[in-house]
Amino acid sequence: MPIRHAVVAGAGIGGLTAALALHRRGWRVTVCERAPELPATGAGIGLAPNALRALDAIGVAAARAAGSAVPATMGLRRSGGQWLTRAATADMAARYGMPPIAVPRPAFTAALAAALPPDALRYGTEVTGVDDAAGRPTVRTAAGPDLPADLVVAADGIHSPLRRAHFPGHPGLHYIGETAWRTVVDAPDLRIPAMSETWGRGERFGVTPLSDGRLYLYATGVVPAGTRAADPRAELRRRFGSWHDPIPALLDRVDRLDPADLLCNDLYDLAAPLPRLHHGRIAWLGDAAHAMAPNLGQGGCQAIEDAVVLAHLLPAGDAGDAEDAGDGAGSVPAALAAYTAARLGRTDAVRVRARRMGRLGALRNPLAAAARDLAVRATPTRLSLRGMDDLFNGFRLPG
């Protein structure tokens, strides 16, 4: 009996999770990644309870695979150091059944890749297009040869060429008005127990302890798209050097970095939702499907949810061809229609919410920023946590 074959375009977190979920459903998978190898450097990623539940559903224990760091508290601060809101991680664990964790992104992707068959990953292989005119897609790659497939998973990132090719009328990306700097530093002597984000006026600075003992740092500033300082380390010092402790000490660590280890990216989200998350036998997920601002820490989490739901809805890889004779129940096309129905509404709601949260964090007017801070500070912690219920408790496997 033939085994169904899925080709995944992109070896990011969403693509690797989809490949692993499909592999465990009995599919033969090929992951095409244009980069020459798995990245060894990069920033961190937070895995919220919804993403951890999704990973559990496919037998991936993220904390065991890539380690975990559970800070004592999480919260928002003002640039002078005052806490606007703060929650004990133990309270979050009690409410959601588990705490969020933070892991180095390279370690997490390496763990996902290691769980796949060795021949599943093809680095240095860029997908250049998908021909699906005949009903069964054929994947074209720059490296060749063509790859016939029963399913194509478009996990090719925020600038997704496959999205542009198959949704040519979509408006594409929207610049949200901010640039982000991200890096990882060693600072064990600072003994930072809290995950925090500090809001100024048009600027933010975040600190997240990682599972390997290092700290993931990120910062944002409201600047025109394409703006780049000659020395990004000096730019961070200029913007944040007078903020509360331990930010100046962390910037000392940043000053010691190779400039190449400080990532700088303009922030974009999708200007509007896609009309659907599939076309024929192609399914989009993650940033390719619903690129969102990083303000809720849900970009990677929603990609993981996408991947797990997609694999759950598809027929088993060794189920044969009978179900694929048409578009009826049990077929791949029917499963992809169900995937769109299950995921489009949730992911777009998160995208819109992340954009709105970013607008709050990016306020520059002193009176507006002061009113924002007062409102956050006046909100009881229990209500702040309740406001996250739809995110952290929102993952469901359809049917």
Side-chain angles (χ1 to χ4, degrees):
M1 182 178 294
I3 302 297
R4 289 188 175 95
H5 179 215
V7 175
V8 180
I13 286 173
L16 289 172
T17 303
L20 182 55
L22 288 167
H23 168 63
R24 292 182 173 177
R25 290 276 289 153
W27 285 65
R28 180 168 65 91
V29 294
T30 302
V31 182
C32 297
E33 168 55 47
R34 66 180 180 180
E37 59 186 0
L38 196 70
T41 61
I45 180 171
L47 298 175
N50 54 303
L52 295 173
R53 286 196 188 92
L55 291 167
D56 283 345
I58 60 170
V60 175
R64 188 165 64 245
S68 66
V70 181
T73 59
M74 303 173 65
L76 289 172
R77 306 178 77 171
R78 298 181 65 182
S79 59
Q82 305 93 330
W83 287 95
L84 298 174
T85 183
R86 181 164 41 172
T89 308
D91 292 340
M92 297 186 68
R95 187 174 188 89
Y96 301 116
M98 61 190 73
I101 67 173
V103 300
R105 187 179 291 262
F108 185 51
T109 54
L112 293 173
L116 290 169
D119 60 350
L121 287 158
R122 298 189 182 184
Y123 291 104
T125 304
E126 180 179 3
V127 171
T128 57
V130 177
D131 178 3
D132 61 346
R136 295 285 176 120
T138 299
V139 177
R140 315 289 186 193
T141 70
D146 295 343
L147 300 171
D150 299 286
L151 168 72
V152 177
V153 179
D156 52 344
I158 189 169
H159 298 289
S160 174
L162 293 180
R163 182 184 66 228
R164 293 198 302 269
H166 292 273
F167 297 100
H170 188 271
L173 298 176
H174 157 259
Y175 180 53
I176 67 173
E178 294 178 274
T179 287
W181 298 267
R182 295 174 294 136
T183 194
V184 175
V185 298
D186 286 303
D189 54 306
L190 298 182
R191 301 183 183 276
I192 296 174
M195 179 188 298
S196 66
E197 183 170 292
T198 301
W199 286 0
R201 296 199 301 268
E203 297 171 328
R204 288 173 285 169
F205 195 100
V207 182
T208 301
L210 294 177
S211 59
D212 62 1
R214 296 181 297 165
L215 295 166
Y216 167 43
L217 309 181
Y218 62 90
T220 67
V222 176
V223 297
T227 302
R228 295 291 181 270
D231 185 346
R233 297 169 299 180
E235 177 71 1
L236 289 178
R237 176 72 64 180
R238 181 185 69 81
R239 289 177 176 272
F240 304 104
S242 63
W243 284 26
H244 66 79
D245 290 334
I247 292 175
L250 291 169
L251 293 176
D252 289 341
R253 302 316 199 270
V254 173
D255 287 342
R256 302 170 195 169
L257 295 174
D258 185 313
D261 292 331
L262 179 58
L263 307 178
C264 181
N265 303 98
D266 294 334
L267 297 180
Y268 291 84
D269 65 4
L270 213 59
L274 292 178
R276 59 192 179 279
L277 301 183
H278 72 286
H279 174 88
R281 287 173 175 256
I282 309 172
W284 280 262
L285 60 74
D287 283 346
H290 43 70
M292 60 185 66
N295 304 304
L296 297 173
Q298 281 288 312
C301 296
Q302 290 301 309
I304 290 168
E305 286 193 17
D306 289 342
V308 173
V309 169
L310 175 63
H312 173 77
L313 289 169
L314 285 162
D318 59 356
D321 292 335
E323 297 93 332
D324 285 348
D327 292 347
S331 70
V332 170
L336 297 191
Y339 167 69
T340 284
R343 296 299 300 159
L344 184 57
R346 173 163 169 80
T347 55
D348 193 57
V350 178
R351 178 188 67 86
V352 171
R353 183 171 172 179
R355 182 184 289 186
R356 290 173 177 167
M357 179 63 73
R359 287 172 179 164
L360 279 178
L363 287 173
R364 288 187 287 178
N365 180 281
L367 292 178
R372 170 202 68 194
D373 293 351
L374 181 63
V376 172
R377 195 169 187 179
T379 303
T381 300
R382 66 181 185 279
L383 293 183
S384 297
L385 283 178
R386 187 182 301 170
M388 304 301 288
D389 285 356
D390 60 334
L391 287 178
F392 293 170
N393 283 334
F395 170 73
R396 298 285 187 279
L397 285 176

